[in-house]
Amino acid sequence: MNCCKKLFMILVVIAVLILNPNYILAKSPNKSSSVPIAPTLLTYSNLTSSEATLNWTSSYSAVGYKLYRATPYDSNYTLIATLTTNSYKNVSLKPNTTYWYFVKAYNSYGTSLDSKHISLTTSGLSTSKKLVLGYTTYYYSGDTSSYNSMVSNTSTLDEVATNTYTTDSYGNISGLVPLNQITYANSYGIKTFAMITNNFDGAIGKTLLESSSNRTRLITNISNALKTNGYKGVNIDLEAIYYYDRTYLTTFMNELYNTLHTQGFYVTIAVPAKTSDSSSASWSGAYDYAALSNASDQIVLMTYDEHYPGGTYGSIASIGWVENVIKYASSVIPRGKILLGTAAYGYDWSSSTAKAYGISGIYNLALTTGSTINWDYISQTPYFNYISSTGISHSVWFENAQSLNYKLNLVNSYNLSGIAIWRLGLENTDYWTSIKTKFNR
C-alpha cells in the first residue's frame, strides 16, 4: 500500500512538470533574496504653482516604492504614496512653498534606505525673472575692469552696486565715483546703487551707530550723493559691526529706509552669511535678519569666503553651507527680498600667504604651474594643488561656472529673488553662460 502511494505521488509530480515546466523555477527561492538598494537620481519636473512630477531610477529586485514628503524643512516626513512605478505626480500643492522628498524601495525582504533628499519650491518658477546684481569696483582713474564686464553683459544685468563710498566714524563719506559706470547703467535700464562701507572696522561702526547725530549725518550724506550722481538707491555694507551694536544697526537701517523711501530711493543691505541667529556671535551677531528685512528692499547674503585669507584653505562656498544659510535666511526674510551672493574668484593658499585671483587668473595659474584641476564632490567646487619653484606647497580653491550651477539651482529651488556677483570683471564667459541657462535669460 505504501509503495502504491509513493508511485502515485511520483506520477503526480511528473504530470505537474509536464503540464507546467516552470513550476520548479516559480517555486525556487529568489536569487536576489535581499533588501533592495535605495533608489537613485530622484528628480522633479513639470513644476507649477500646484503640482510637480517626481521621478527616480528603479531599484533592482524592488516590487514597489514608498514616497515621503515634508514641508517646509528636511524633517517631519509623512508617507504620501505607495507605488509600483518609479514616477509620481504630486498635486494640490500650495503656491510659493518648499517641499522635501525622498523615496524608498521595498520587497518581501524589507525596505531600502532613503534615497537622496531633494527639495522644490512651487510658484511657477519657469516664468519668474531672477534678478542679477553685479558689484563693481573703480580702484583708480581709468580702471575699466568692471565697466567692460557691464558692457559685455548688459542684457543679463538688472542692477549694479558700485563699491564707492567709505564712511568714517562721524558719517562723512568719501570715494572715487565711477561716473561712466553710473551713466551707462542708467542709460540701459540697469538699476544703480551706491555701496557704503566702513573698511571692516567695528570701531568706526561703534562710534557711528551709537550716535544719533552721526547716523543722521551719514543718512544726509548718502541722500546727497545719490541725488548728485544719479544713483537709484544705496547698498549698505557695514561689516565687522560689534555684536552689542545690533540694535543700533537696526535703528540706523530703519532711519535710512524711512528717509530715502520718501525720496524715491531703494535701500538694500549686504549681510554676513549665517545658519542660525545668535545675538552674541562675534562676526554675525549684529545682523538681525528679520528686523533688517523690514528696513530693506533687498538683502544680499554674502555666501562666500567660507574659507578666507588668514584662515585654513578650503572651498569659497561649499554647497551644503550655502544651502544651510538659505534655509535659515528664508525662514525669517521674505524670499522675494533675498539675493544670494556668488563669488567669481578664488584663493591661492600657501603656508604664509593667500592671494586672490579672478576666474581667468585661476585657470592661468593652473596652466603655468602644470596643475590638474580637481573636483571636490562634497563642496561641489573645483581645486588644485601645486608646489612652487621654491618648494612651497600651495592649495587653490575657487568658484567657476560648474560650481555656480549648483548655487543657481538653489536660487531656483528656494525661489529666491536672484543673485549678487562679487564682482564684475573677475568672472569669465562660462560664468555668464551658466546664469543665462539657469535663469532663462
Side-chain angles (χ1 to χ4, degrees):
M1 191 71 177
N2 288 336
C3 292
C4 292
K5 287 184 177 179
K6 290 181 179 178
L7 178 61
F8 175 75
M9 293 301 296
I10 291 172
L11 291 174
V12 170
V13 171
I14 292 172
V16 169
L17 290 176
I18 292 173
L19 294 174
N20 185 10
N22 293 322
Y23 178 80
I24 292 178
L25 293 177
K27 291 298 183 180
S28 296
N30 190 335
K31 292 182 179 180
S32 301
S33 57
S34 60
V35 175
I37 63 172
T40 58
L41 300 179
L42 176 60
T43 60
Y44 65 87
S45 60
N46 303 321
L47 179 65
T48 70
S49 60
S50 61
E51 61 185 44
T53 300
L54 286 301
N55 301 279
W56 56 91
T57 301
S58 300
S59 296
Y60 177 70
S61 80
V63 298
Y65 302 93
K66 297 179 180 180
L67 183 64
Y68 295 81
R69 186 184 73 194
T71 188
Y73 304 113
D74 191 14
S75 61
N76 300 319
Y77 282 91
T78 58
L79 176 67
I80 62 169
T82 300
L83 313 153
T84 56
T85 62
N86 60 333
S87 179
Y88 179 73
K89 186 175 183 179
N90 195 189
V91 298
S92 301
L93 301 177
K94 296 180 180 179
N96 196 32
T97 302
T98 298
Y99 293 91
W100 286 85
Y101 298 87
F102 72 83
V103 64
K104 293 182 176 184
Y106 70 90
N107 60 19
S108 60
Y109 296 96
T111 303
S112 74
L113 299 176
D114 298 2
S115 70
K116 177 183 178 182
H117 293 209
I118 67 167
S119 66
L120 58 84
T121 302
T122 57
S123 71
L125 296 177
S126 60
T127 60
S128 63
K129 180 181 179 181
K130 298 302 179 186
L131 296 178
V132 178
L133 179 151
Y135 281 99
T136 72
T137 54
Y138 191 59
Y139 290 130
Y140 54 87
S141 181
D143 180 6
T144 61
S145 174
S146 292
Y147 178 83
N148 291 342
S149 176
M150 188 191 311
V151 172
S152 298
N153 301 287
T154 302
S155 62
T156 311
L157 278 169
D158 301 293
E159 303 170 345
V160 293
T162 70
N163 182 19
T164 298
Y165 294 103
T166 301
T167 181
D168 64 14
S169 299
Y170 307 101
N172 303 303
I173 62 175
S174 59
L176 187 61
V177 180
L179 292 176
N180 61 337
Q181 294 180 15
I182 301 168
T183 300
Y184 181 88
N186 286 336
S187 65
Y188 282 89
I190 300 172
K191 198 177 297 178
T192 50
F193 302 141
M195 182 175 165
I196 312 294
T197 71
N198 63 326
N199 273 334
F200 303 93
D201 191 330
I204 288 177
K206 175 180 171 61
T207 303
L208 172 69
L209 297 174
E210 292 180 5
S211 165
S212 175
S213 60
N214 290 343
R215 295 196 306 269
T216 299
R217 185 177 297 109
L218 176 57
I219 292 170
T220 299
N221 287 331
I222 290 174
S223 176
N224 291 337
L226 300 185
K227 295 172 184 175
T228 299
N229 297 295
Y231 285 105
K232 305 304 180 186
V234 64
N235 180 249
I236 300 299
D237 186 28
L238 301 179
E239 299 192 41
I241 300 301
Y242 298 143
Y243 71 88
Y244 51 77
D245 283 326
R246 176 182 175 110
T247 301
Y248 288 112
L249 176 61
T250 299
T251 297
F252 165 71
M253 287 301 298
N254 280 314
E255 293 169 347
L256 179 70
Y257 186 83
N258 292 334
T259 300
L260 293 187
H261 254 235
T262 59
Q263 300 174 16
F265 292 113
Y266 294 91
V267 175
T268 69
I269 185 173
V271 296
K274 58 182 178 180
T275 59
S276 62
D277 187 39
S278 170
S279 59
S280 60
S282 60
W283 181 253
S284 62
Y287 305 86
D288 184 342
Y289 278 14
L292 294 174
S293 71
N294 292 326
S296 306
D297 297 299
Q298 292 175 350
I299 292 187
V300 176
L301 303 178
M302 292 188 283
T303 37
Y304 35 71
D305 280 11
E306 181 184 7
H307 297 88
Y308 51 88
T312 57
Y313 63 81
S315 54
I316 306 301
S318 65
I319 194 65
W321 175 71
V322 171
E323 184 165 15
N324 286 334
V325 173
I326 292 173
K327 285 180 181 179
Y328 169 66
S330 61
S331 72
V332 293
I333 303 172
R335 297 176 188 223
K337 289 187 176 185
I338 299 175
L339 295 179
L340 186 72
T342 62
Y345 61 85
Y347 294 123
D348 175 5
W349 279 274
S350 67
S351 58
S352 58
T353 62
K355 185 176 180 180
Y357 291 88
I359 294 176
S360 295
I362 292 284
Y363 281 115
N364 288 336
L365 179 63
L367 181 64
T368 58
T369 59
S371 303
T372 299
I373 295 176
N374 302 306
W375 182 257
D376 180 59
Y377 286 93
I378 296 177
S379 67
Q380 299 288 12
T381 58
Y383 74 98
F384 62 90
N385 302 308
Y386 72 94
I387 297 177
S388 70
S389 58
T390 57
I392 298 176
S393 296
H394 289 248
S395 185
V396 181
W397 292 74
F398 62 105
E399 292 287 313
N400 64 1
Q402 184 178 0
S403 63
L404 176 66
N405 280 334
Y406 291 93
K407 277 83 172 175
L408 300 182
N409 285 341
L410 292 178
V411 173
N412 286 331
S413 296
Y414 284 87
N415 198 22
L416 306 184
S417 181
I419 61 171
I421 305 166
W422 183 268
R423 68 171 173 83
L424 299 188
L426 297 179
E427 75 292 355
N428 63 359
T429 302
D430 289 344
Y431 197 91
W432 287 102
T433 298
S434 290
I435 295 171
K436 292 174 184 177
T437 300
K438 293 294 184 178
F439 287 174
N440 297 318
R441 299 294 293 269

